[in-house]
Amino acid sequence: MITKLKLEQGEELKHERSRTKGTMAQTDIECYSVINSKGEVVGSVVYEDHTSLNGFKRTQHVTQKSSDGKIIVQESW
């Protein structure tokens, strides 16, 4: 997932929370803050890892947003 993101030099991810969704918790959701070198929050990242109950196919999705809500990266694989 980290290779899909556009982080500036000195920026890092800080894990904020995790949760699952679905009748059998088939989707894991991880939420991160993007922190700059000064310790300021400059964006957010939501990563979803879904396993289909029919056929057990795995789909991953990541969305990176700036602090003002503009989408920087939105990708599925």
Side-chain angles (χ1 to χ4, degrees), residues 10-63:
E11 291 182 341
E12 58 185 43
L13 296 180
K14 177 185 175 193
H15 188 262
E16 296 293 337
R17 64 189 174 280
S18 300
R19 66 183 181 100
T20 60
K21 73 176 185 180
T23 56
M24 298 183 72
Q26 64 266 29
T27 303
D28 295 316
I29 302 170
E30 304 285 336
C31 299
Y32 300 88
S33 291
V34 179
I35 308 295
N36 67 13
S37 59
K38 297 177 185 176
E40 303 166 328
V41 177
V42 294
S44 63
V45 173
V46 176
Y47 169 69
E48 296 185 31
D49 189 347
H50 174 79
T51 302
S52 172
L53 298 177
N54 298 326
F56 299 106
K57 182 180 176 181
R58 182 177 177 202
T59 305
Q60 299 173 69
H61 181 80
V62 67
T63 301

